[in-house]
Amino acid sequence: MSSTGIRLLMALFIVIGTFRMTSAQEKNKIPPTRTTLSRPDFSLPEWDQLVRVVLLRDYNTRVVLVGTVLLGVCSGVIGTFLLLRGRAMAGDVISHSALPGLAIAFLVGEAIDPGAGRVTSTLLIGAVISSLIGMGCANLVRRFTKLKEETVLAIVLSLFFGFGAMLLSIVQQIPSAQLAGLQNYIFGKAASMVYDDVVLIGVSAGIVVLLALLFFKELVILCFDEDFAETQGWPTKRLDLLLMGLVVCVTVIGLQSAGLLLVVALMMTPSAAARFWTDRIGWLTLTSAILGGASCYLGVLLSALFPRMATGAVIVLMGSLFFFVSLLLGLRRGLFWKWWHAIQLRQRVERADLLRACYEAAESLSISQENSGQPRELIDVVITVPQLLAYRNWSERRWNRLLTKAVGHELIVSLPDGGYRLTQGAIAESRRIVRNHRLWEMYLIHYADVAPSHVDRGADWIEHVLAPDVVDELTRLLNEPRDVVNVPESPHPLQPEMTGGGREER
Amino acid sequence: MSTDAATSRTPPEHPVTSPLTIDDMTVAYDRKPVLWNVDYDAPVGKLVAIVGPNGAGKSTLIRAVLDLVPRVSGVVQFFGQPYRQQRNRVAYVPQRGSVDWDFPVSALDVVAMGLYRQIGWCRPVTKKFKELAMQALDRLGMAAFARRQISQLSGGQQQRVFLARALVQEADLYLMDEPFTGVDAATERAIVDLLRELQTQGKTALVVHHDLQTVTEYFDDVLLLNLHLIAAGPTEDVFTVENLRKTYGGKLALLDQVGQRIAVPETR
């Protein structure tokens, strides 16, 4: 996941850069002055403009919206496989290699028939061809040298992008190049989409998703265990080509709205975000598709409200927003839930430890008092903090804090003279806890040859995870009565914490 | 693919041929040979341990016969035919560390992968195949964990998932790469039981094994390997102090030197 993190950061930097560039580009048309450059004006949209955009009253917004949402869905699907195969960098190579193709296609088109170079499909065909050449170059270099894959990809990427940028700077001097809007393919400008483009995107996206679903099983086995797939007779090389071909398709249809710098983020961000929500590959793909579509939807609406913002950048920002929300709140792996479960476990363990210490203290007190001729029930035994200190290596402050909390939970009753008594409910619960603990200790002593002086520590943790069926098995093995009320005697002298078995705070 | 599956399910008519015949196989990474002139005939219905020090080429041997690593020379045959025609009768259990266990699939999904060929191109995993996968998991005592995401399994349980994936293939020859490495006692027991069961069904298993203590207990046959084949045959004949000394007594100095020289010819 770490490389995914780096990619996301990169995408963010590009987004920030994009904002600066586009605002600068807009300003270039009027003589640049210090004030206009340093304070690009992002005026808030008027109310009726907001209504118009949100209700999709504009034909243009509708067209752009349909196109980009389709793109988002299909890049979410393909991104899942790219993520699982760990080939994000290859995606970068594919997208960056498109640039020289765009420029050359424009030049060739204009040379054949002035105006033809501006047609989207001409440009995209150029992009496909040069993306494929870029990927092919990377594969060739990798096969015939010992260089690491990352190195090869980075070299090919820079080479193609550099070459493309150089061509672009030449092309920009041709007057009609402004009309073709070649620079829009770098940062993306969804607003330039027309009906025909949406049809192209829709059909391609449909085919891509269909292929991915058709070969779902085959792509999964390729991503999970390529060697095994190979021994099973799956044509792994061709499947890999299929996957890369799909990535090329998504990249090329995403060039217009997301731009070649960010189109990979369009694939990676939704799938990385979706990974926090599910552990099933089917759901992962679906979630990723939905998140991809949703970030495109929101991105287009936002950029329709703030026309100065590049659509691609806003889309990716929305995707990143989803990513960070998922990172924190994702049900499967979100940080919040991780933290929450840790707290829960800690509290459960603390409660059990506290009850066991109280119970054992009360138990030994009641035994000693019984010997002196006054039979006492556990519920009548009064325990004090100094006594408890011997049973658990917790500081006095911690004891006081936990005891106060336990009073709140009605586990113990605080007496006016500073002592505590266990409640009826707490005795039942602690019986179970102590019983499990001791059964486990006995098991360790009998079956695992652990010295009695050492079992307490090992048993300390296990008592929190003993399931009822394991406890049943233990009682059977140890010939103990299955009755929960029956707590076996401790197999080692109590008050182990005094003798140095200390293990303070985790 | 489906016709393939149909033919392979019928037992062979001709007299029993060796499940795996290796004839003069040499394997090299780049230019450095890592296995020299291996000649080997696997016996039918035996459990064979492949034993040798680290870097002896044990995994390479398995990967090379399965065409995962290119061979420089030599002929490999499974049941008298090239691997491509006998895929269905051979099951491979890779090293546990070779895959990403964080992958978003359940134990059942992984086992079902062993059936993908039977299911065929573009068809989903139907209930029938899920049940087959479930049975295999059950045989390894893993039925309760079928729905778990694979990263939530212990190392031993992950290994058992891999074995179940091989088991569903109903192969006649099993090639296992270090299935006993890093597993708990229960899993070790389960693997041994499974191997014995396979053996009673007349199947053969070649197992890369590290623990010399248990070789005689678990395996009938042994193949001692260190860059070349030291010895192979029934455990009681081959697994001798003499042979082990040959296997582990340092890599054979000369072979190593020659290998280096082939790899870097310009240094002399």
Side-chain angles (χ1 to χ4, degrees):
Chain A
M1 286 301 261
S2 72
S3 71
T4 315
I6 295 169
R7 314 194 51 71
L8 286 170
L9 275 179
M10 264 172 56
L12 269 183
F13 282 127
I14 295 175
V15 165
I16 294 163
T18 315
F19 279 134
R20 301 193 64 113
M21 299 279 288
T22 44
S23 55
Q25 272 172 16
E26 300 280 337
K27 296 298 168 192
N28 271 342
K29 288 165 191 165
I30 46 171
T33 61
R34 193 167 281 271
T35 42
T36 49
L37 264 184
S38 60
R39 272 197 308 129
D41 104 85
F42 280 116
S43 55
L44 282 176
E46 302 285 315
W47 173 250
D48 46 318
Q49 191 198 352
L50 189 82
V51 171
R52 249 193 15 241
V53 167
V54 172
L55 296 181
L56 304 180
R57 291 215 181 116
D58 278 339
Y59 173 74
N60 209 26
T61 314
R62 282 206 297 268
V63 165
V64 171
L65 203 59
V66 171
T68 46
V69 168
L70 285 172
L71 169 72
V73 168
C74 105
S75 60
V77 171
I78 299 306
T80 309
F81 293 106
L82 209 54
L83 174 89
L84 292 178
R85 193 142 165 73
R87 299 294 294 277
M89 191 76 183
D92 258 340
V93 170
I94 288 173
S95 63
H96 284 70
S97 307
L99 190 57
L102 287 169
I104 292 173
F106 171 76
L107 286 175
V108 171
E110 289 294 287
I112 293 170
D113 172 21
R118 275 174 249 157
V119 182
T120 313
S121 47
T122 317
L123 293 174
L124 293 191
I125 288 169
V128 171
I129 294 172
S130 82
S131 288
L132 289 175
I133 294 175
M135 201 61 223
C137 282
N139 281 344
L140 282 181
V141 176
R142 191 160 146 59
R143 188 181 302 171
F144 292 111
T145 65
K146 267 183 159 182
L147 292 174
K148 289 225 159 50
E149 182 169 20
E150 282 209 332
T151 319
V152 173
L153 293 177
I155 291 169
V156 173
L157 182 150
S158 339
L159 177 74
F160 273 73
F161 191 69
F163 181 52
M166 189 194 77
L167 281 180
L168 200 65
S169 63
I170 297 171
V171 168
Q172 291 289 5
Q173 289 157 20
I174 303 168
S176 60
Q178 291 291 337
L179 292 172
L182 282 185
Q183 73 283 355
N184 287 339
Y185 286 90
I186 299 180
F187 294 117
K189 191 166 190 185
S192 63
M193 236 181 240
V194 295
Y195 180 74
D196 286 350
D197 299 341
V198 172
V199 172
L200 179 74
I201 291 176
V203 172
S204 321
I207 293 174
V208 166
V209 171
L210 203 71
L211 282 175
L213 294 183
L214 204 58
F215 293 103
F216 194 79
K217 180 164 104 286
E218 288 76 9
L219 290 175
V220 167
I221 198 172
L222 174 79
C223 294
F224 177 64
D225 195 347
E226 189 175 350
D227 280 351
F228 180 77
E230 175 86 41
T231 62
Q232 290 279 289
W234 295 105
T236 49
K237 297 254 163 19
R238 264 174 281 164
L239 283 172
D240 195 46
L241 274 183
L242 170 75
L243 181 57
M244 285 302 136
L246 295 178
V247 173
V248 170
C249 275
V250 177
T251 306
V252 167
I253 61 176
L255 284 180
Q256 255 191 319
S257 42
L260 57 85
L261 288 181
L262 288 173
V263 69
V264 176
L266 202 60
M267 286 187 260
M268 301 311 292
T269 326
S271 47
R275 193 65 189 86
F276 288 100
W277 294 98
T278 172
D279 274 339
R280 299 276 134 150
I281 190 156
W283 287 110
L284 181 70
T285 314
L286 186 69
T287 318
S288 173
I290 291 171
L291 287 179
S295 46
C296 283
Y297 182 84
L298 290 178
V300 169
L301 282 195
L302 271 182
S303 77
L305 289 174
F306 302 93
R308 284 203 199 289
M309 293 193 201
T311 324
V314 184
I315 290 175
V316 171
L317 268 188
M318 287 298 112
S320 311
L321 186 72
F322 282 131
F323 176 80
F324 285 113
V325 170
S326 309
L327 174 86
L328 293 177
L329 296 179
L331 286 175
R332 281 285 155 184
R333 309 172 148 222
L335 295 182
F336 172 76
W337 296 111
K338 233 184 209 167
W339 171 81
W340 176 253
H341 289 310
I343 297 256
Q344 293 268 304
L345 178 69
R346 218 180 105 129
Q347 283 183 348
R348 264 211 331 270
V349 170
E350 234 167 26
R351 179 187 168 114
D353 286 349
L354 175 102
L355 281 176
R356 189 158 62 84
C358 290
Y359 182 91
E360 285 180 343
E363 185 188 45
S364 59
L365 279 174
S366 94
I367 290 170
S368 62
Q369 281 165 0
E370 204 169 322
N371 291 345
S372 62
Q374 315 165 266
R376 292 281 284 276
E377 288 294 319
L378 277 178
I379 193 152
D380 300 324
V381 178
V382 175
I383 38 183
T384 58
V385 174
Q387 284 165 343
L388 285 171
L389 280 175
Y391 284 88
R392 194 100 220 154
N393 196 6
W394 286 343
S395 66
E396 200 170 331
R397 243 183 61 211
R398 190 167 179 197
W399 263 115
N400 282 324
R401 181 168 60 79
L402 291 174
L403 286 170
T404 318
K405 214 158 112 187
V407 171
H409 288 140
E410 297 187 359
L411 292 174
I412 50 175
V413 182
S414 174
L415 301 175
D417 58 354
Y420 294 95
R421 259 189 314 116
L422 283 161
T423 65
Q424 198 64 54
I427 287 178
E429 189 180 339
S430 42
R431 266 213 180 98
R432 192 180 50 76
I433 293 167
V434 174
R435 178 165 175 269
N436 286 357
H437 181 85
R438 289 187 185 164
L439 281 174
W440 186 250
E441 284 180 343
M442 286 155 77
Y443 173 74
L444 288 184
I445 292 169
H446 283 290
Y447 288 89
D449 286 333
V450 179
S453 58
H454 283 77
V455 291
D456 189 44
R457 236 192 290 187
D460 235 12
W461 267 103
I462 202 76
E463 71 193 30
H464 310 298
V465 295
L466 282 185
D469 55 324
V470 182
V471 175
D472 280 354
E473 179 71 15
L474 281 176
T475 50
R476 199 182 54 73
L477 278 172
L478 297 166
N479 283 324
E480 284 288 327
R482 298 179 69 140
D483 187 2
V484 182
V485 183
N486 188 295
V487 177
E489 250 178 64
S490 176
H492 58 85
L494 283 175
Q495 306 190 5
E497 313 291 343
M498 294 288 270
T499 56
R503 134 225 42 118
E504 174 50 15
E505 330 265 325
R506 285 166 299 273
Chain B
M1 198 158 285
S2 55
T3 53
D4 256 19
T7 48
S8 75
R9 289 293 165 226
T10 56
E13 314 281 318
H14 52 85
V16 196
T17 50
S18 167
L20 172 64
T21 317
I22 304 173
D23 185 20
D24 197 21
M25 180 176 79
T26 297
V27 183
Y29 285 124
D30 286 319
R31 278 185 302 191
K32 186 176 177 196
V34 283
L35 270 180
W36 295 79
N37 310 93
V38 176
D39 278 304
Y40 181 66
D41 274 319
V44 182
K46 290 281 167 64
L47 304 180
V48 185
I50 302 176
V51 174
N54 285 331
K58 304 183 297 287
S59 296
T60 307
L61 177 80
I62 286 190
R63 293 171 58 80
V65 298
L66 291 172
D67 297 340
L68 291 173
V69 178
R71 297 187 291 267
V72 176
S73 70
V75 179
V76 174
Q77 289 197 318
F78 290 87
F79 303 100
Q81 281 175 311
Y83 178 52
R84 270 189 300 163
Q85 285 155 37
Q86 296 286 355
R87 283 188 202 282
N88 301 7
R89 297 179 67 185
V90 182
Y92 170 48
V93 181
Q95 279 185 20
R96 186 154 51 85
S98 65
V99 301
D100 170 20
W101 289 95
D102 219 20
F103 205 82
V105 286
S106 67
L108 190 73
D109 294 335
V110 174
V111 178
M113 285 178 194
L115 295 163
Y116 277 11
R117 247 174 83 79
Q118 236 172 293
I119 298 168
W121 281 95
C122 304
R123 298 216 188 89
V125 184
T126 51
K127 205 171 165 196
K128 180 182 121 196
F129 291 106
K130 279 189 185 152
E131 265 160 28
L132 282 177
M134 196 67 194
Q135 283 167 18
L137 274 175
D138 197 31
R139 271 173 79 183
L140 283 150
M142 287 286 295
F145 303 98
R147 297 257 145 237
R148 281 230 189 142
Q149 200 257 321
I150 49 176
S151 68
Q152 291 159 12
L153 302 171
S154 72
Q157 290 167 337
Q158 291 174 345
Q159 188 64 58
R160 282 193 254 175
V161 170
F162 259 13
L163 285 165
R165 182 175 72 173
L167 204 58
V168 287
Q169 295 170 46
E170 297 194 2
D172 295 317
L173 172 65
Y174 290 81
L175 301 173
M176 304 183 182
D177 203 345
E178 305 199 0
F180 291 104
T181 302
V183 302
D184 51 294
T187 302
E188 182 150 347
R189 200 69 249 155
I191 301 175
V192 172
D193 289 348
L194 177 75
L195 287 174
R196 295 267 151 78
E197 198 186 321
L198 291 174
Q199 191 184 16
T200 55
Q201 293 165 10
K203 306 192 169 184
T204 311
L206 265 72
V207 181
V208 174
H209 195 57
H210 259 307
D211 184 11
L212 295 181
Q213 312 275 334
T214 50
V215 168
T216 42
E217 187 188 337
Y218 294 164
F219 297 97
D220 323 305
D221 255 51
V222 70
L223 189 162
L224 293 171
L225 196 71
N226 190 351
L227 300 181
H228 69 150
L229 189 78
I230 308 280
T235 312
E236 63 265 30
D237 302 341
V238 171
F239 201 65
T240 58
V241 176
E242 170 78 1
N243 278 335
L244 281 174
R245 190 170 295 139
K246 275 192 208 159
T247 314
Y248 285 87
K251 286 188 188 171
L252 288 183
L254 193 61
L255 271 184
D256 214 31
Q257 257 177 35
V258 177
Q260 283 291 347
R261 211 169 285 179
I262 293 175
V264 202
E266 55 271 23
T267 63
R268 199 124 314 170

